Amino acid sequence: YLANSFYNKGLSVPNVYAVSDDGLRYLQKDLGSQSLFDAIADGRSKGGHYSEDEKELLRRTISQLPQLQVVGAENLDFSKCYPQPQMDEMNVMFDLNYFKYCFLKTTGIDFHELRLEEDFRWFANDLMDGTHDTFLYRDFQARNVMLDSNGMPYFIDFQGGRKGPLEYDLASFLWQASAHYSKELREELIGVYLTSLKNYRNVNEAEFRNRLNKFVLFRTLQVLGAYGFRGYFEKKKHFIDSIPPAI
């Protein structure tokens, strides 16, 4: 449903050619084998020293995100989103408690649990304050962007999307721990994003950046929870190694 809706609006997603009557099989456009993650591997391996060509791929990708979020949400039936139609305070509390139980408690750091719970509830309320009428990709990262033969980005793996705040996806992408984006590159890409977003709605930049910082903190706590579970509990080395850069 999401792919068809986005494609019919002219967004850069793979075309679904056919679906079986029982809904269990489908034919979809093959976008090749090069992801943005692979295309910028050299800069990532150099600790975030990206070439101009790699930066241009990042600019192209970020500039298309507002269109997917704003235009993609127009006339979208969010009740089709799975497992939930929109991000709410319960979602936020789930992720914050994921951090508490799967990461924080494993460290042995002493903390006041009731006060932390109060902070979590305040934080969840603050993050969800206001009306959100845009599409939240939820897993917007370089691995989920495919590049065609001309280096143009196409988006995949948006099946966990729902109605939600704009800032979440930008925080997810630019503060991906393993990407090693420099502060200067992040600032440039935030500027690219805001310039593009202004084509679709009025933006108070100071207010947006303030909210973005909060979502960066939230996303980082969420990621540490995931790394703690995958690393400390499931003993997967990749996730254990990802904890220091996330911190």
Side-chain angles (χ1 to χ4, degrees):
Y1 171 77
L2 291 174
N4 283 329
S5 178
F6 295 158
Y7 182 80
N8 291 334
K9 292 170 182 171
L11 304 180
S12 296
V13 298
N15 187 13
V16 178
Y17 297 120
V19 182
S20 63
D21 291 339
D22 61 11
L24 297 179
R25 295 172 296 278
Y26 62 93
L27 292 175
Q28 189 176 34
K29 180 182 174 78
D30 184 353
L31 294 174
S33 58
Q34 186 173 47
S35 67
L36 176 62
F37 183 81
D38 294 333
I40 61 173
D42 189 52
R44 189 171 57 251
S45 69
K46 293 177 180 176
H49 295 285
Y50 291 96
S51 69
E52 187 56 35
D53 287 343
E54 290 171 325
K55 289 179 182 178
E56 180 57 28
L57 292 176
L58 291 168
R59 294 185 197 106
R60 288 180 192 172
T61 300
I62 287 295
S63 68
Q64 288 199 34
L65 177 58
Q67 184 184 31
L68 186 71
Q69 293 174 313
V70 179
V71 177
E74 293 174 357
N75 301 314
L76 190 71
D77 181 0
F78 283 101
S79 70
K80 302 271 191 184
C81 294
Y82 182 86
Q84 287 186 268
Q86 67 181 57
M87 184 177 179
D88 56 23
E89 288 183 34
M90 187 180 294
N91 290 161
V92 175
M93 288 301 297
F94 178 87
D95 287 335
L96 292 175
N97 281 310
Y98 191 37
F99 161 75
K100 181 173 74 173
Y101 289 112
C102 293
F103 182 79
L104 185 57
K105 280 184 175 271
T106 68
T107 65
I109 293 173
D110 186 38
F111 65 95
H112 194 297
E113 194 149 358
L114 287 178
R115 288 183 180 176
L116 183 64
E117 184 72 14
E118 286 179 5
D119 281 347
F120 280 176
R121 292 185 183 280
W122 171 84
F123 195 29
N125 181 263
D126 194 33
L127 288 173
M128 292 294 99
D129 186 36
T131 302
H132 306 292
D133 59 353
T134 48
F135 180 75
L136 169 65
Y137 199 119
R138 192 158 170 82
D139 195 17
F140 188 65
Q141 58 165 303
R143 283 187 176 88
N144 291 338
V145 179
M146 303 300 294
L147 301 175
D148 67 10
S149 57
N150 296 316
M152 298 306 295
Y154 281 78
F155 303 111
I156 63 170
D157 281 6
F158 40 76
Q159 68 272 7
R162 61 197 66 177
K163 184 186 291 188
L166 291 166
E167 298 88 354
Y168 183 101
D169 291 329
L170 190 62
S172 297
F173 191 92
L174 294 183
W175 274 264
Q176 182 77 30
S178 61
H180 304 294
Y181 297 134
S182 67
K183 183 178 180 181
E184 292 74 23
L185 181 55
R186 279 195 191 120
E187 277 298 312
E188 179 185 355
L189 293 174
I190 291 170
V192 169
Y193 176 87
L194 288 171
T195 298
S196 178
L197 181 60
K198 288 173 184 176
N199 292 321
Y200 305 101
R201 54 180 51 195
N202 295 324
V203 182
N204 180 320
E205 285 199 28
E207 188 177 297
F208 181 90
R209 286 174 179 273
N210 182 45
R211 284 185 56 77
L212 177 62
N213 285 336
K214 295 175 184 178
F215 276 94
V216 170
L217 173 58
F218 170 61
R219 179 63 176 168
T220 304
L221 296 177
Q222 181 189 49
V223 163
L224 285 170
Y227 290 172
F229 181 73
R230 301 293 186 190
Y232 295 146
F233 291 97
E234 295 187 343
K235 309 298 183 185
K236 295 181 179 177
K237 186 177 183 299
H238 165 72
F239 293 100
I240 293 174
D241 292 344
S242 298
I243 289 172
I247 291 175

